[in-house]
Amino acid sequence: MPGYNQPKHFTAAAGLTFKRSGGGGGPSGEKIEHRIGVQAPARVIWEILADLPAWSEWNPLYTKAEGVLSIGKPLTLTLQLPDEAPETIRPVVTDWTPDSLLHWKLTMAGGLVRTVRYLEIDELSEESCVFANGEIVGGLLGRYVARRMGRKMYRGFEALGLALKDRAEARWRAQGGKPTSAS
């Protein structure tokens, strides 16, 4: 999210590292994030993200998505974390900007866990972007949940990022674009 400290990332070899987010008036909690380069324009990535009914065709983390991208409106998502049973969640959209970002919030365990989920597209050039997707887990039990589920969350975010990259670059090639990443 703009203005936030960049999180420490982890790789399978390095282990999971959390970065406390917050300050500057934004949400606070444990931040888990995956970032990936995509050789496609922001508009192509956004077309894929904004088509919620098609998420079931490509998205390994959210295997079903329903709702309207409108601030204050709920979404109904089937969350499929690695090695976990599917779970239906009902977050509320807090922000969205075409070709740029989608944010939602979710409250669980009677308000003891609050999350802010973000999917963001950072345009590097007309045909190249960085896609960041992550979550800030806060609330009284937020740190516990992030520590317990952090690796699975990261693996899910990574799977979403890789699937989105593949789909966006394939779509861009089909439209006559020429991604340079090997996919």
Side-chain angles (χ1 to χ4, degrees), residues 45-82:
I45 298 167
W46 180 256
E47 288 168 4
I48 295 165
L49 288 177
D51 187 2
L52 296 178
W55 281 19
S56 63
E57 298 170 11
W58 65 271
N59 192 329
L61 183 59
Y62 299 104
T63 57
K64 185 175 180 185
E66 298 173 344
V68 177
L69 296 184
S70 181
I71 295 173
K73 297 292 183 184
L75 302 175
T76 302
L77 308 173
T78 301
L79 173 65
Q80 179 64 65
L81 286 171

Side-chain angles (χ1 to χ4, degrees), residues 13-67:
L16 179 61
T17 304
F18 292 96
K19 172 99 176 172
R20 299 275 305 160
S21 74
S28 63
E30 304 293 335
K31 184 175 184 177
I32 303 165
E33 179 180 70
H34 178 263
R35 297 172 66 85
I36 191 167
V38 181
Q39 297 297 315
R43 69 168 174 77
V44 172
I45 298 167
W46 180 256
E47 288 168 4
I48 295 165
L49 288 177
D51 187 2
L52 296 178
W55 281 19
S56 63
E57 298 170 11
W58 65 271
N59 192 329
L61 183 59
Y62 299 104
T63 57
K64 185 175 180 185
E66 298 173 344

Side-chain angles (χ1 to χ4, degrees), residues 16 18 32 79 81-84 87 137 142-157:
L16 179 61
F18 292 96
I32 303 165
L79 173 65
L81 286 171
D83 304 321
E84 294 288 325
E87 178 182 358
V137 184
R143 176 173 260 179
Y144 168 77
V145 169
R147 300 258 182 225
R148 186 175 156 273
M149 299 298 293
R151 288 188 187 280
K152 290 180 183 182
M153 291 170 67
Y154 180 86
R155 288 188 357 238
F157 298 166

